[in-house]
Amino acid sequence: MILILTFYFVFNQKIIFPSSQSKEVKITLNIQNFEPVSPAEVQSSIESDQKALEEATKQLFEQIASSATEQEEAKPPTQETTKQIFEKIAAQSKKVSLSSTTEEALEKARLAKVEQKRLEQEKRQQEALAKEKAIEDEKAHVEKLKQARLNALAIAAAKEKARVADIEQKRLEKEKKKQEALAKALKKKQDEKLKKQKLAKEKARREKLHKKKVHKQKLAKKRRQQQTKKSKRHSKDPLANAIMSASTSVRPRKSKRPAMRMIKQFYGSEFNSFTPTQKKFIEKNLGSIYRITQRTLTRNGYPRVAARTHQQGTQIVTFYLHPNGAISGLRLKKRVGYASLDKNTIKVIRIAYKNYPRPKTKTKITFYVEYSLF
């Protein structure tokens, strides 16, 4: 019975002592100040504790067994014997309890170390993540600053471009205004120049008219003086004298011999090839055409160069007169030998032909133009 109780108390790790002998063993471990041990050392310590526990339990059972055998052989155990046995069992139980508590403390220390490693690893991971995040934030901040700088540069470039464009526009407008002012000034200058030229031309024209008038007055005066002297100067050419004598009278003479002689002198055998209408027009109007030409010549005035150099002479002019009053083929059949007189004759014919009588058909006209100074 004692043996069975002993086994029961041992396997349940519970020993009942008398109240006077009961003791409580408390083991307190400070895990925070616990020095870390490698897992191999912990495992070897646990195995050695287990072996020690098994040896102590085995020795305890042997002692109990031997004590029981001796008591059966001798005499029944006394109270003192039983007390000693329980003291031994309590001592062994303390050893076993201490060993078990040490094992639990070691396990807790191992778990605490593993937890500490896990926490340190998480802390390192968190620090790494925080570092990566800080690097990313720094990169984002740098990128943001870079983008802001680029935007600022772009805005500054756009403003500078707009400023340059504005300056160029103002310059162009100023240049345009300057050109317009120059053009206006040039136009004003040209207008003033044209006005002066017009005034000069008008003055020259008036002076020319005045000189012509004076010249005509002088010529009229000379003619009057010559008429008073009753002297008449004739040309050396008898044909020209015949034309002049024929053309001076307003009414046609009854005798046509001088006119016919003049016509033959001008036209020759060509006159016979003309139609009767052409012949009749020439015989009737050649003197009128001559008088109109001479009047125009007198009105237009003697060429200045020819008057200063005393140029004079007789020319033969020929051209075709059309029914509409126009002329064609105007040329000098006989030149006087002075360019100023030749040009003046062509000019006078181009003015005087508008007053010529008009033929019914195209007719060739030939007559003298005489220049003489009195």
Side-chain angles (χ1 to χ4, degrees):
M1 185 66 180
I2 293 171
L3 184 59
I4 292 170
L5 289 172
T6 303
F7 285 160
Y8 176 79
F9 290 136
V10 169
F11 282 101
N12 286 280
Q13 299 180 3
K14 292 180 181 179
I15 305 298
I16 299 172
F17 297 99
S19 60
S20 62
Q21 298 295 330
S22 65
K23 292 182 180 180
E24 185 178 357
V25 179
K26 292 183 180 180
I27 299 173
T28 305
L29 296 176
N30 188 359
I31 297 175
Q32 293 179 355
N33 297 325
F34 184 76
E35 294 181 1
V37 186
S38 63
E41 293 178 355
V42 172
Q43 185 65 27
S44 60
S45 176
I46 292 170
E47 289 177 356
S48 60
D49 291 339
Q50 288 177 354
K51 288 180 181 179
L53 180 61
E54 290 176 357
E55 287 294 332
T57 305
K58 186 176 181 182
Q59 290 177 5
L60 179 60
F61 287 154
E62 287 176 357
Q63 290 177 5
I64 292 170
S66 62
S67 299
T69 304
E70 291 175 359
Q71 289 176 3
E72 289 177 356
E73 289 177 358
K75 56 181 180 181
T78 60
Q79 187 177 1
E80 187 67 27
T81 305
T82 303
K83 185 177 179 181
Q84 291 177 359
I85 290 168
F86 277 107
E87 287 178 357
K88 289 181 181 181
I89 291 170
Q92 292 296 330
S93 296
K94 285 181 182 181
K95 290 181 180 180
V96 172
S97 177
L98 181 61
S99 177
S100 177
T101 304
T102 304
E103 183 179 357
E104 290 177 0
L106 291 173
E107 182 65 19
K108 287 181 180 181
R110 185 183 67 80
L111 293 174
K113 185 178 180 182
V114 171
E115 183 66 18
Q116 185 177 6
K117 286 183 179 180
R118 187 183 66 79
L119 291 174
E120 289 178 355
Q121 187 176 2
E122 287 182 358
K123 185 178 180 181
R124 285 194 297 271
Q125 289 178 356
Q126 288 178 359
E127 289 177 353
L129 290 174
K131 190 175 181 181
E132 290 178 359
K133 187 177 180 181
I135 293 171
E136 290 178 357
D137 292 341
E138 185 67 21
K139 287 182 179 180
H141 182 65
V142 171
E143 188 68 23
K144 189 175 180 181
L145 291 176
K146 186 178 179 181
Q147 189 65 30
R149 183 172 174 273
L150 291 175
N151 292 336
L153 289 174
I155 292 169
K159 287 183 178 179
E160 182 65 19
K161 188 176 180 181
R163 187 181 68 82
V164 171
D166 189 31
I167 292 172
E168 183 68 17
Q169 184 68 22
K170 288 181 179 179
R171 187 187 69 78
L172 291 175
E173 289 178 357
K174 188 176 180 180
E175 188 70 21
K176 186 177 179 181
K177 289 180 180 179
K178 188 176 179 181
Q179 290 178 358
E180 288 177 355
L182 289 174
K184 191 174 180 180
L186 184 62
K187 187 177 179 182
K188 187 177 180 180
K189 191 174 181 180
Q190 290 178 352
D191 292 341
E192 290 177 355
K193 188 176 179 181
L194 290 173
K195 190 175 180 180
K196 288 181 180 179
Q197 288 177 355
K198 286 181 180 180
L199 291 173
K201 286 181 180 179
E202 183 66 22
K203 187 177 180 181
R205 188 182 67 81
R206 289 178 181 178
E207 289 178 355
K208 187 176 180 180
L209 291 174
H210 180 68
K211 287 181 180 180
K212 284 183 179 180
K213 187 176 181 181
V214 172
H215 182 66
K216 286 180 181 180
Q217 290 175 356
K218 287 181 180 180
L219 290 175
K221 186 177 180 181
K222 285 182 180 180
R223 285 173 185 169
R224 285 195 299 270
Q225 289 175 358
Q226 289 174 358
Q227 285 178 1
T228 55
K229 291 179 181 180
K230 296 181 180 180
S231 62
K232 187 176 181 182
R233 187 173 180 174
H234 298 278
S235 176
K236 294 180 181 180
D237 193 343
L239 185 60
N241 291 330
I243 293 173
M244 291 176 67
S245 62
S247 61
T248 50
S249 63
V250 178
R251 295 180 182 178
R253 294 180 180 180
K254 294 181 180 180
S255 177
K256 295 184 179 179
R257 290 182 65 189
M260 288 303 296
R261 188 170 62 249
M262 179 184 64
I263 290 170
K264 286 181 180 180
Q265 183 70 26
F266 290 154
Y267 294 98
S269 61
E270 185 183 7
F271 186 76
N272 296 326
S273 63
F274 295 161
T275 62
T277 305
Q278 291 175 339
K279 290 178 180 179
K280 185 178 180 179
F281 179 81
I282 292 171
E283 291 173 355
K284 184 178 180 180
N285 296 291
L286 187 59
S288 300
I289 292 172
Y290 172 77
R291 285 193 301 273
I292 293 169
T293 304
Q294 287 298 126
R295 279 200 305 268
T296 307
L297 180 63
T298 302
R299 188 168 55 250
N300 202 44
Y302 210 89
R304 293 182 182 180
V305 176
R308 284 199 305 269
T309 56
H310 298 280
Q311 298 176 6
Q312 55 186 358
T314 305
Q315 302 166 332
I316 297 177
V317 183
T318 181
F319 57 88
Y320 287 97
L321 187 61
H322 295 268
N324 60 355
I327 62 173
S328 64
L330 175 62
R331 65 186 180 87
L332 294 174
K333 191 174 182 179
K334 179 185 175 182
R335 296 179 181 272
V336 76
Y338 299 105
S340 59
L341 296 179
D342 292 340
K343 290 179 180 180
N344 189 66
T345 300
I346 298 296
K347 182 180 178 181
V348 168
I349 296 298
R350 292 188 183 279
I351 296 171
Y353 83 93
K354 298 176 182 180
N355 298 320
Y356 291 166
R358 297 183 181 184
K360 293 181 179 180
T361 60
K362 180 181 176 182
T363 304
K364 186 176 181 180
I365 304 298
T366 304
F367 60 90
Y368 276 103
V369 175
E370 186 180 10
Y371 290 92
S372 61
L373 294 172
F374 296 99

